[in-house]
Amino acid sequence: KDRGGPSKGLVEPFVGGGIVTLTAVMENLVRSATIVELDPDIASVWQAIVGGEAEELADAVVTFELTPENIREVLSREPTSLRDKAFATLLRNRVNRGGIIAPGAGMLKHGENGKGIASRWYPQTLRRRILAISQVRDRIRVVHGDGMALMQQSAGREDVVFFLDPPYTKTGHRLYRYSEISHEGLFSLAASLAGDFLMTYDDATEIRTLAQKYGLQAKTVAMKSTHHTQKKELLIGRDLSWLWAKG
C-alpha cells in the first residue's frame, strides 16, 4: 500500500521538533509538508527558519557566549523580533531539563556527563541543522494555529498523509504549554481522513479504548525518554500490517 512518496503531501498538526516531517522532506519521501504548531514560541523557530531568517538565527547560536548570566538575560527579556523569539526558544530548549520549554521547567544543573547547562548546547551542530532545514524551506509550509482545524480542512484529500503526535494524556500538561485537546475528537477526526495516517500516543487505557471504538489498530512499541529510560508507547493506524511484519 502506498503510504507516502514524492506524489504525496504530509501534514503534521502537532509539529514540535518535527523530526518526522524533516526526515520525510529531506529524504524525498513526500513532495511537501505542512506543519502546524499552536505554541507561539515553538512556531517562531519554524517561522524564522522557513521564513528566510535561518542564517541570522544560526549566527546568533554560534556567537552566543553560554553563561548563566547571559542565559538569564536572554530568557528574562521580551523578544523584539521573530529571530530573537526563535533564539530564546532554542536556548530554553537546550538549557532546560528534558528540553521542556513549558512554564515551570527548570534549568539543567548537572546535565549530561556533569557538563551542566552546556551539556546539550552544541552550537555548530545546531547551526548545521538550522541551515539544512533552510535548504528545503520551499517545500515546508508553517502554520501557527490549531492543528485539528487544519486537519479538518485537509480531511477529504487522498493525496495527503498525516503524522499525528499530540500531547499525551499522562505527560502533556507537564511538557507543553498548550496540552489540552479532545482525545476523542482527534480519534474521530483521524478516522474520517481520506488520506492515510500514523498516530503516536502514550499506552493508556483511554487511548486503547478509543482506538477500538473507531476501528483502528494499535501496537505497543519500545521508546526511549529524554532521560534515556525505556518506556512503552502506542502506534495507531488503520492498517499496521507493515509493522507486524517487522516483528
Side-chain angles (χ1 to χ4, degrees):
K1 185 177 180 181
D2 180 15
R3 298 186 172 276
S7 65
K8 301 278 187 177
L10 172 66
V11 172
E12 188 170 352
F14 313 95
V15 70
I19 185 62
V20 167
T21 284
L22 292 178
T23 301
V25 171
M26 290 179 176
E27 297 294 330
N28 290 315
L29 302 176
V30 295
R31 68 170 187 271
S32 62
T34 296
I35 57 177
V36 190
E37 179 55 57
L38 188 57
D39 188 315
D41 292 337
I42 298 174
S44 72
V45 179
W46 290 107
Q47 289 170 325
I49 297 173
V50 173
E53 298 187 53
E55 289 194 12
E56 292 84 352
L57 181 58
D59 287 344
V61 168
V62 295
T63 59
F64 183 70
E65 184 181 356
L66 190 76
T67 67
E69 294 75 21
N70 287 345
I71 292 170
R72 283 193 289 268
E73 196 275 328
V74 169
L75 299 186
S76 65
R77 70 179 182 227
E78 188 68 26
T80 58
S81 68
L82 179 64
R83 194 215 66 178
D84 287 347
K85 189 171 188 176
F87 176 74
T89 302
L90 280 177
L91 181 62
R92 188 177 293 110
N93 169 258
R94 295 285 97 190
V95 302
N96 278 5
R97 287 193 295 272
I100 300 170
I101 67 170
M107 273 203 299
L108 288 165
K109 291 183 180 179
H110 302 292
E112 298 174 3
N113 301 317
K115 294 181 180 179
I117 55 174
S119 66
R120 295 178 63 249
W121 182 251
Y122 305 108
Q124 292 298 336
T125 300
L126 287 171
R127 176 182 181 276
R128 286 194 295 271
R129 288 177 183 172
I130 290 167
L131 296 180
I133 297 169
S134 179
Q135 291 295 309
V136 294
R137 65 190 179 95
D138 61 327
R139 295 168 57 201
I140 300 175
R141 173 190 172 213
V142 180
V143 176
H144 172 215
D146 183 347
M148 289 176 65
L150 190 131
M151 281 178 67
Q152 185 68 60
Q153 295 172 17
S154 306
R157 295 184 57 179
E158 296 183 359
D159 64 331
V160 171
V161 294
F162 299 80
F163 177 67
L164 312 175
D165 185 24
Y168 289 0
T169 60
K170 298 175 183 176
T171 58
H173 67 284
R174 179 175 60 85
L175 299 177
Y176 308 108
R177 190 193 319 182
Y178 299 92
S179 62
E180 295 299 321
I181 69 165
S182 167
H183 298 289
E184 175 147 20
L186 179 58
F187 271 81
S188 176
L189 183 52
S192 75
L193 297 172
D196 204 358
F197 69 89
L198 182 65
M199 180 158 40
T200 63
Y201 251 113
D202 48 340
D203 191 356
T205 302
E206 173 190 354
I207 300 305
R208 286 185 175 274
T209 300
L210 286 171
Q212 186 175 26
K213 177 178 179 179
Y214 287 94
L216 303 177
Q217 296 180 0
K219 180 172 173 60
T220 306
V221 293
M223 303 288 286
K224 273 191 177 180
S225 73
T226 53
H227 302 291
H228 305 291
T229 57
Q230 291 286 340
K231 62 177 183 176
K232 300 289 187 180
E233 292 190 351
L234 292 177
L235 289 183
I236 300 166
R238 292 195 187 99
D239 178 7
L240 298 181
S241 58
W242 57 273
L243 186 59
W244 265 278
K246 294 182 178 181

